[in-house]
Amino acid sequence: MTTRSDLLDKIADLIADYREGELGFPMNVAHVDRWVRQFASDVHETILVELSHVLERTYIGREEMQKAVMAVATDSYLTGGNHARFWRNALVMPMQTRGRSQHEMVALVDEALKSACGTSLYEEGSGPPGPYVYLDDFSFSGETIGNDLAGWIRSDAPQVADIVIYTLARHRRGMAKALRDINRVADFVRKDIRVTWLSRVEFEDRFPTPYSPDVLRPTEPPEEAVTEAYMAGLRQPMYRKPGQTGTLGLYSSEEGRSLLEQYLLVAGAHVLQRCPKLNYRNMRPLGYDTWDSTGFGSMLVSYRNCPNNAPLALWAGDPWYPLFPRRTT
C-alpha cells in the first residue's frame, strides 16, 4: 500500500534536480510536504497520488533532457543520415529575445554532436549552406517562436529561406498560432519562407477540439466562492467533456485528473487574489494564456525551469509557497 510518506519520497526523487545549485535549498521531502500542506489536509493524498503519476510522465530531468537532445542531434529524418555534414552546413539561429531556453538548447545540441560525431555546431561546413534551424526545448503558446521568427523575417531574412523549427515538445494550439504569424509576416514582406516544424512529442490543447486534451481543463466550475467569482467573468471557460485522460495518457484516470484540475484551479484563483504582482492580463489560475480562460494548464516542467503556462499553484511565490520556484530571467 502506497502511503503519504511514499508519495512524498517519489515526488522528491522525481524533481530532485530541478534548478539544482540555484535555489539554496534541496528539492526534498520536506519541500514537497510544505507545498502540499497549503491544501486542505483531507486532499493531500489525492493530490500527491495524481501529481506523482503526472510528473513521472511530464517532468524532464537533466539526464532525460540530454538523451532527448542527442536524439535531435542524430535525427536522420532531419540530417539525412549524415549528422556531422548537416550540422556543419546548417545555419543555427540563437536569436531568442526572452529567456535562456534556446541558448541552452543550442549548447546541449553542440555537446551531443561532439559526443556522437566529434563535430561542433560552430565548425564551418564545406558544402552549400543548409536550412536555417531554430532550436528550443518546448513550445507552449507559440508566442516566442512566432515573434522571434517574424522579427527576423521582417529584417535579416533573405528573400528565399528554408527554416526548420525543432522543439522537443510542442502544443498544437501554439504551433498553429506561430505558423500563422510567420506566414502572415512573410506574405506581407513578400519573402518566400518555407517552414518545417519537427518535435519529439506533441500535446493536444486546441479548443474546441474533438480530441482529448493533454492539458488541465476542468469539466465544470468548482463550488468555491473565490473560484466561482473568477469563473463568472470568463468569456471562454474552456471546459472539457468528462471521461478524457488525454491523448498521451498523462493522467491515471478521469477521477484523478478531474480532482487535480479542481484543486489546482481553486488554489490558482486564490493565488491570483493574494498575489497582486500576478494579477495582470492573461495570467490565469491554470497558467498564462492569451485566451480568456481558466488557463493554459500545461504540466510540462524541466529541470531548467517551470513555464508560466503551468498552473500557478505549482510555481507562484510569496505569499504562496511554490513546488517549482520559477526563474524569470
Side-chain angles (χ1 to χ4, degrees):
M1 178 179 177
T2 305
T3 66
R4 185 181 190 278
S5 177
D6 293 333
L7 292 166
L8 291 172
D9 280 334
K10 180 180 177 181
I11 293 174
D13 286 344
L14 279 171
I15 67 175
D17 65 352
Y18 180 76
R19 295 186 61 198
E20 193 170 16
E22 295 182 32
L23 298 174
F25 60 86
M27 301 290 281
N28 57 16
V29 167
H31 168 72
V32 181
D33 184 56
R34 180 177 174 184
W35 175 78
V36 80
R37 285 184 183 275
Q38 296 171 112
F39 297 86
S41 59
D42 61 338
V43 303
H44 287 185
E45 191 164 330
T46 300
I47 291 173
L48 293 172
V49 166
E50 190 64 18
L51 188 65
S52 66
H53 182 92
V54 175
L55 289 179
E56 197 170 23
R57 291 154 178 79
T58 61
Y59 180 79
I60 311 299
R62 183 184 298 273
E63 186 175 339
E64 187 176 353
M65 179 72 80
Q66 289 170 336
K67 290 179 181 177
V69 170
M70 178 63 78
V72 173
T74 58
D75 186 339
S76 293
Y77 185 84
L78 173 66
T79 67
N82 192 328
H83 315 313
R85 182 178 64 188
F86 173 84
W87 288 108
R88 283 175 183 154
N89 293 319
L91 303 167
V92 179
M93 307 169 72
M95 59 185 298
Q96 192 174 69
T97 54
R98 294 188 304 169
R100 308 181 191 178
S101 62
Q102 189 193 43
H103 297 280
E104 294 181 10
M105 181 71 171
V106 170
L108 286 171
V109 170
D110 187 51
E111 290 176 14
L113 281 172
K114 290 174 183 175
S115 173
C117 310
T119 189
S120 169
L121 286 179
Y122 305 105
E123 292 182 22
E124 286 191 29
S126 56
Y132 290 88
V133 181
Y134 184 106
L135 296 166
D136 208 351
D137 53 3
F138 308 139
S139 172
F140 295 92
S141 67
E143 282 189 7
T144 298
I145 291 176
N147 290 340
D148 284 349
L149 290 176
W152 176 75
I153 291 167
R154 289 190 195 97
S155 55
D156 298 332
Q159 199 62 38
V160 179
D162 290 304
I163 303 174
V164 176
I165 302 170
Y166 207 126
T167 55
L168 299 181
R170 66 189 180 198
H171 292 73
R172 297 188 72 171
R173 181 160 52 106
M175 178 184 71
K177 179 185 184 305
L179 292 175
R180 283 197 305 270
D181 292 347
I182 291 166
N183 290 331
R184 183 164 54 244
V185 169
D187 289 344
F188 182 77
V189 298
R190 297 183 180 181
K191 291 184 178 181
D192 183 8
I193 307 295
R194 298 179 290 267
V195 179
T196 302
W197 192 327
L198 304 175
S199 292
R200 311 296 297 179
V201 181
E202 185 172 78
F203 289 76
E204 177 60 80
D205 70 323
R206 292 173 298 175
F207 184 85
T209 174
Y211 304 108
S212 181
D214 296 304
V215 296
L216 296 179
R217 195 165 288 163
T219 59
E220 60 184 1
E223 295 182 0
E224 192 279 329
V226 172
T227 315
E228 285 179 340
Y230 175 83
M231 302 288 281
L234 296 180
R235 294 192 302 273
Q236 300 168 314
M238 293 172 67
Y239 298 120
R240 65 176 177 84
K241 293 180 179 180
Q244 300 173 335
T245 55
T247 60
L248 298 176
L250 304 179
Y251 307 95
S252 67
S253 63
E254 166 60 32
E255 180 183 16
R257 173 182 186 156
S258 182
L259 289 171
L260 187 66
E261 286 166 337
Q262 295 287 307
Y263 295 142
L264 293 182
L265 176 56
V266 170
H270 280 263
V271 167
L272 279 180
Q273 185 184 62
R274 294 167 57 194
C275 301
K277 290 182 180 179
L278 288 176
N279 198 359
Y280 58 86
R281 187 183 178 191
N282 296 338
M283 192 55 73
R284 320 289 182 185
L286 294 179
Y288 179 90
D289 197 351
T290 54
W291 285 42
D292 187 20
S293 67
T294 54
F296 197 98
S298 179
M299 292 296 292
L300 184 61
V301 179
S302 84
Y303 74 97
R304 293 184 49 262
N305 207 8
C306 180
N308 65 1
N309 308 97
L312 270 60
L314 294 183
W315 59 266
D318 187 40
W320 183 259
Y321 184 78
L323 181 63
F324 297 107
R326 175 175 151 75
R327 184 176 65 206
T328 57
T329 58

